[in-house]
Amino acid sequence: MGNQRDILVPAEKLEEQRAYTEAVRDALQRPLGYHIVTLGCQMNVHDSETIAGMLDEMGMTPVDTREEADLILYNTCCVRENAENKALGNVIWLKELKALKPSLIIAVGGCMMQEEGMGEKVRKMYPFIDLAFGTHNMYRLPELLFRVICEKQRAIEILDEDGGICEGLPVRRRNGFSAYINIMYGCNNFCSYCIVPYVRGRERSRSQEVIIEEAKALADSGVQEIMLLGQNVNSYMGGGAHFAELLYQIDRIGVPRVRFMTSHPKDISDELIACFGELKHLCRQLHLPVQAGNNRILQVMNRRYTREKYIETIGSIRRTCPDIGLTTDLIVGFPGETLAEFEETVSLVDEIRYDAAYTFIYSPRPGTRAASMPDDTPIEEKSRRIQRLIEHQQAVTTDICQRQIGRIEDVLVEEVSARDTSCVAGKTERGHMVNFRGDASLIGRIVPVKITSAGKNTLRGTLIEQSLTR
Ligand code: SAH
Ligand code: SF4
Ligand code: F3S
């Protein structure tokens, strides 16, 4: 078990970084503006919140555009090739920006940097990148920036071994009402297509005490929603506590909404399912990636469950919580997937009736087992398959949205609608986005909304006014 060993980054190492933080702050003649671009999953979004926290402490301030920035930092993803191309394409564009503004500092971090040979590649092929770090040494950013700013050197540092767990880093959260809390890092599952275990390292869990402490502090600051994060939250093992036990503890704190992601279907325990019936604040919503509907493909993917077992798990979740909103991830065109095998994914989507599904065309990732499997399905055929799958899912999504009409749902208001500034948008407990008339003063509040109509993926409603006195 990953967390049996000593996984905490020692206090002295953090102390050292604090000294660099101060040295950078002292050296700056004016507050530098930083701009972070985040690609990838929630894990990366949360890492960027930590990076922002560290930069704040170094005397820098966030700016909205790349043009205004003195420091641009890309937090990259490599889960599929297009994520990687996006990062590289963007970074190359920065070269031009730097030609216009030679003092600009360009930094790249995140999962893509953790790929084999990346350090060398950056060193040789991207001379305009001043600073590069991986997921394992993010906490060393102050020292790396010290080298760039105070010593005028390039700082390219990527560690191969797991980074352990770093407690006590500062965090600048995206907003004051919905917060991410990491409960574990890394993944041990090695699904044959997936690069995450290679770039995020082995599973390691934070201790229950620090998680509870963080959640309590967030509750005190008025946070309305907590999202517990991990590549595989069901494997949480902080100081002997299982995930379901942790959920009970979090529920007791009283933050109105608790969610988590991601769960692996093979590890969903009866205790966890029971949580959906018993816990007051756990949202009726679960993201449970199935990836494929055919047993042979599931086996070659190394998912370690069958279609039948997955359906059984969903059945038992729905018996406990009939109104639960379910979402999933699906991969189309895994090496060797036949048309008949693909059709089993379509039939599973029809059978389960997910609220939404994230669909991806299989993308070979260097170093993974699937990357060396023969794949003779042309990309045109894969595109046809994903299109067909999307159409099936869309029909179900639209139907589920229609069925929400007439209900009164609590909505956590997140933002003023981009399309119509007289409206705000937020999510129901089940995870549906609702737009309704209202202003920015509602942001961060949970209010009852009557659902009046449904679009393809989103809902419209009207605010029930008496809520304002709540
Ligand atoms: N830890 C999570 C999510 C991992 S990445 C989990 O296990 O569910 C998010 C999604 O990206 C995966 O669920 C999978 O559907 C997709 N994905 C991962 N590797 C991929 C690849 N090589 N090609 C296409 N999709 C991939
Ligand atoms: Fe990747 Fe599988 Fe781990 Fe998810 S569980 S991160 S898909 S290896
Ligand atoms: Fe991407 Fe890394 Fe997340 S590879 S999906 S950002 S864990």
Side-chain angles (χ1 to χ4, degrees), residues 193 234 262-268 270 273 285-295 298-299 301 303-319 324-331 344-358 393:
Y193 50 82
N234 308 117
T262 302
S263 298
H264 194 300
K266 78 175 162 57
D267 298 319
I268 296 257
D270 293 343
I273 294 177
Q285 176 259 322
L286 178 66
H287 182 62
L288 197 61
V290 67
Q291 314 298 355
N294 167 268
N295 282 337
L298 285 171
Q299 194 187 1
M301 283 180 164
R303 291 292 288 180
R304 288 171 281 175
Y305 53 82
T306 60
R307 175 189 179 103
E308 293 72 26
K309 180 77 185 69
Y310 184 87
I311 292 173
E312 202 182 299
T313 303
I314 296 285
S316 115
I317 293 167
R318 282 195 165 135
R319 276 191 298 280
I324 196 164
L326 293 170
T327 54
T328 200
D329 292 343
L330 301 164
I331 296 179
E344 288 194 51
T345 302
V346 180
S347 70
L348 187 73
V349 156
D350 289 341
E351 184 173 342
I352 303 270
R353 291 181 55 82
Y354 295 104
D355 286 28
Y358 302 91
Q393 178 54 48

Side-chain angles (χ1 to χ4, degrees), residues 387-399:
Q387 214 39 54
R388 184 168 147 70
L389 188 60
I390 290 170
E391 278 161 25
H392 270 251
Q393 178 54 48
Q394 187 58 62
V396 182
T397 299
T398 306
D399 185 54

Side-chain angles (χ1 to χ4, degrees), residues 79-80 193-196 230-232 262-264 289 291 303 329-331 360-365:
V79 77
R80 285 171 291 276
Y193 50 82
C194 185
I195 198 166
V196 171
Q231 288 300 346
N232 187 18
T262 302
S263 298
H264 194 300
Q291 314 298 355
R303 291 292 288 180
D329 292 343
L330 301 164
I331 296 179
F360 309 106
I361 290 184
Y362 166 75
S363 168
R365 301 286 65 215

